Amino acid sequence: MAPATDKKRKHAAENTSPHKKAKKDEPPKKDKGKARATPADSEFQVVKASLVISIPPAFTADPSRGALEMLDSMVMRYIPAFQGVVLSHSHLEFLSRAAQIRNECPFLVCKIGFSATVWHPHIGQKLVGKINLSSPDHISLLLHRTFNVSIPRRHIPEGQWEFEYGAAENDPEFGPAAADVEADEDEKPVESDTGGRWVHHLTREPLGGDAKYLSFTVIGLTIANDMLSLIGSIQPDPFDPRHDAAPSRSQEVEDEEEDISAAPLRASPSDDEDAGVAKVDREEEEDAEGLLQKLGREADKVAAKAAKKEKRKKDGESKKEKKRRRETEAAPEAAPQPVEGKKKRRKGSAL
């Protein structure tokens, strides 16, 4: 009887340990690798949308061409309904067989469906752009060679990076003109940034490296002229409120100037020794100023007397001129009498 009980115990032990059976039932493991970006994590999305449009009467024979032109007008524009910029559209279809003409309007009103590829970045997303301009106040990047990104100074780590000014535009040795001369005709044109660059304070390596590609975090969106631009940050904690509260460089300079102008002047013990000398010099300056003012007043009086004398002289000359005019006007009336007498005498002498 003992061997039978041992067999039962072995079967019970096999049933209570399901490790081998579990391994068989488990599905095969997938290969490990990088996870694919979900639509929520990607900056590009394909959206299926429907829209009611009015097709002009010129496209009555081919309504699909009119609908395509309407969709083309949305490309590279920020559309609030999509919360992004439309890059392309496809799979156009009419959702109704017949169009409507409302209130004797010649336009065809119909509903269409289509798929749109949208550039839809969101706050907190990490992207990579290429630096195209560096200045002491901000860094400008170009994303996908199309979209603008701006990184303000307050969102650049202050203790790690510092701005290094570049050569002037008219510098014949280091300016952009010198770089163009040195470049060969077969080579690509050299990208020169005369405004300067941001470099590491220890290694002096430029921000973004030689390729000028920089990773940043999206902290803001700006919509202007139907286009979307981004505000980025390269701070380790980009959403720290202290970055937004930090004053800019121009504001710091203005505050320093105000503090200097508002600070009271305090005399030191050494200044007290020269106070008497300064007082005497001030009195001498005041006396000199008083003397100059007195001389100026006397000169003004002399000039006024000379002006009055000149005026009187002109008035006398004008009176004399008037008298001469009167005499010349009265003289022609008495002049003809002696002339006639002379003619009579000549006639008498001839007789």
Side-chain angles (χ1 to χ4, degrees), residues 292-309:
L292 291 173
Q293 291 177 0
K294 186 177 180 181
L295 293 173
R297 287 194 293 269
E298 291 179 356
D300 293 339
K301 290 179 181 179
V302 173
K305 288 180 180 180
K308 287 181 180 179
K309 190 175 180 180

Side-chain angles (χ1 to χ4, degrees), residues 193-244:
D193 187 5
T194 58
R197 59 179 183 174
W198 286 86
V199 297
H200 196 273
H201 73 291
L202 293 177
T203 61
R204 312 306 296 177
E205 293 182 358
L207 182 64
D210 296 334
K212 297 185 178 182
Y213 283 100
L214 182 63
S215 177
F216 64 93
T217 304
V218 180
I219 61 171
L221 308 175
T222 303
I223 303 169
N225 299 326
D226 295 332
M227 184 49 67
L228 178 65
S229 59
L230 306 180
I231 301 174
S233 174
I234 57 175
Q235 292 279 9
D237 48 353
F239 297 101
D240 192 340
R242 290 178 296 179
H243 302 321
D244 295 331

Side-chain angles (χ1 to χ4, degrees), residues 19-295:
H19 296 289
K20 294 182 180 179
K21 189 176 182 180
K23 287 182 180 179
K24 293 180 181 179
D25 296 335
E26 285 179 1
K29 293 183 178 180
K30 295 181 180 180
D31 296 335
K32 292 183 179 180
K34 294 183 179 179
R36 294 183 179 180
T38 59
D41 297 333
S42 176
E43 57 181 316
F44 298 102
Q45 294 183 0
V46 178
V47 181
K48 292 184 178 180
S50 60
L51 184 66
V52 177
I53 61 173
S54 298
I55 300 176
F59 300 101
T60 305
D62 191 0
S64 60
R65 190 163 63 91
L68 288 173
E69 287 200 6
M70 296 289 289
L71 294 178
D72 288 341
S73 64
M74 300 170 59
V75 175
M76 294 306 297
R77 289 177 57 190
Y78 178 82
I79 306 300
F82 297 147
Q83 296 183 354
V85 178
V86 177
L87 302 179
S88 64
H89 57 83
S90 60
H91 302 99
L92 172 65
E93 59 178 350
F94 288 91
L95 302 181
S96 58
R97 291 186 177 181
Q100 297 180 358
I101 298 177
R102 299 176 182 176
N103 300 328
E104 299 180 355
C105 181
F107 287 82
L108 305 177
V109 180
C110 57
K111 190 174 183 180
I112 61 172
F114 62 97
S115 298
T117 303
V118 182
W119 181 60
H120 173 66
H122 57 271
I123 294 176
Q125 192 174 22
K126 289 189 175 182
L127 303 174
V128 178
K130 188 174 183 179
I131 300 174
N132 63 347
L133 178 64
S134 298
S135 70
D137 293 333
H138 76 288
I139 299 174
S140 178
L141 291 84
L142 204 59
L143 190 62
H144 306 302
R145 298 184 180 182
T146 306
F147 305 105
N148 293 320
V149 183
S150 177
I151 300 178
R153 178 187 177 89
R154 62 181 180 273
H155 284 281
I156 303 172
E158 187 174 355
Q160 187 177 0
W161 302 96
E162 61 184 17
F163 188 75
E164 182 182 71
Y165 288 89
E169 293 184 0
N170 56 354
D171 192 342
E173 186 175 358
F174 300 102
D180 294 338
V181 171
E182 293 177 359
D184 295 332
E185 295 181 356
D186 297 336
E187 295 180 355
K188 294 181 180 180
V190 179
E191 296 181 1
S192 59
D193 187 5
T194 58
R197 59 179 183 174
W198 286 86
V199 297
H200 196 273
H201 73 291
L202 293 177
T203 61
R204 312 306 296 177
E205 293 182 358
L207 182 64
D210 296 334
K212 297 185 178 182
Y213 283 100
L214 182 63
S215 177
F216 64 93
T217 304
V218 180
I219 61 171
L221 308 175
T222 303
I223 303 169
N225 299 326
D226 295 332
M227 184 49 67
L228 178 65
S229 59
L230 306 180
I231 301 174
S233 174
I234 57 175
Q235 292 279 9
D237 48 353
F239 297 101
D240 192 340
R242 290 178 296 179
H243 302 321
D244 295 331
S248 61
R249 186 176 181 81
S250 59
Q251 186 66 28
E252 290 176 357
V253 172
E254 291 177 1
D255 295 341
E256 289 178 0
E257 291 178 354
E258 290 178 358
D259 294 340
I260 292 171
S261 60
L265 298 175
R266 298 181 180 179
S268 60
S270 60
D271 295 337
D272 294 337
E273 296 176 358
D274 300 333
V277 178
K279 187 176 181 181
V280 173
D281 294 339
R282 196 177 301 111
E283 290 176 355
E284 292 179 355
E285 290 177 359
E286 291 177 356
D287 294 340
E289 289 179 359
L291 181 60
L292 291 173
Q293 291 177 0
K294 186 177 180 181
L295 293 173

